[in-house]
Amino acid sequence: MTPDYSVETLAMAGGARRVAGVDEAGRGPLAGPVTAAAVVLDPQNIPDGLNDSKKLTAARREALAAWIMAHCDWSVAHVEPVEIDALNILRASHVAMCRALAGLRQPPCHVLIDGNMLPRDLTLPAQAVVKGDARCLSIAAASIVAKVLRDRIMVDLAQQHPGYGWDVNAGYPTPGHKRALLDLGITPHHRRSFRPVHNILCKAPLVSD
């Protein structure tokens, strides 16, 4: 499946002038923020090669993110671990999406949200699109911006907290990251509500990988 502009076109046929795609990156990691991006593409000026960020090479993601940020109305928002722990990761992801939309230069007429659920605080006309990053170019663009900017944060945090491999694992629960949790301990950037971190905090019996 390759994303196209058909869902956006349908919204525009219904009267929407500005359609925003929204996606998040970082729901699964044990550390770092969850990041959401909102992007409004110009239907007359869409770059070739937009796709789900997970299907692109790092170099291609960086190139497309640079193009999107230079030519589109876009915004990004991060929700940090302390807020993730207070809200839960789904709610935190939705809060990040709403904040990203609020940061656009102009409010969109219609919003396409990746997934099967709309954020409960979203007041704009919107629809949820399952596998939206593989179906809609606007959501694919948002997925690229969210992943690239979140990855940059994790590379920076990896320099401040060496040993966890965040520059390569982006905070996901790889075997090396989980071993580092045991050997080096928990940082302020870890999500304490996530089971591998929570178990260490509670000193629960740990099962080896």
Side-chain angles (χ1 to χ4, degrees), residues 128-145:
V129 184
V130 175
K131 299 189 186 303
D133 47 8
R135 293 176 54 195
C136 301
L137 285 170
S138 298
I139 298 178
S143 80
I144 291 167
V145 172

Side-chain angles (χ1 to χ4, degrees), residues 28-29 37 56 69 79 92 107 112-113 120 142-143 146 156 183 190 192 206:
L56 301 170
M69 290 188 282
V79 172
L112 304 176
I113 300 280
R120 68 187 189 200
S143 80
D156 183 55
D183 295 340
H190 279 103
R192 293 169 178 249
L206 292 164

Side-chain angles (χ1 to χ4, degrees), residues 101-120:
L101 283 163
L104 291 170
R105 290 194 299 269
Q106 298 180 51
C109 307
H110 193 77
V111 178
L112 304 176
I113 300 280
D114 183 52
N116 61 2
M117 187 184 303
L118 294 177
R120 68 187 189 200

Side-chain angles (χ1 to χ4, degrees), residues 34-56:
V34 62
T35 297
V39 175
V40 179
L41 291 174
D42 176 356
Q44 305 303 317
N45 189 25
I46 296 175
D48 292 333
L50 283 183
N51 206 336
D52 174 1
S53 64
K54 296 183 291 295
K55 297 179 181 178
L56 301 170

Side-chain angles (χ1 to χ4, degrees), residues 121-179:
D121 296 331
L122 184 59
T123 57
L124 295 164
Q127 69 187 97
V129 184
V130 175
K131 299 189 186 303
D133 47 8
R135 293 176 54 195
C136 301
L137 285 170
S138 298
I139 298 178
S143 80
I144 291 167
V145 172
K147 177 162 178 54
V148 165
L149 295 186
R150 185 183 185 278
D151 283 354
R152 290 179 188 173
I153 288 173
M154 296 312 295
V155 169
D156 183 55
L157 290 178
Q159 296 174 344
Q160 300 173 38
H161 299 275
Y164 298 91
W166 293 340
D167 51 330
V168 291
N169 64 39
Y172 281 88
T174 60
H177 186 183
K178 289 192 282 187
R179 279 194 303 272

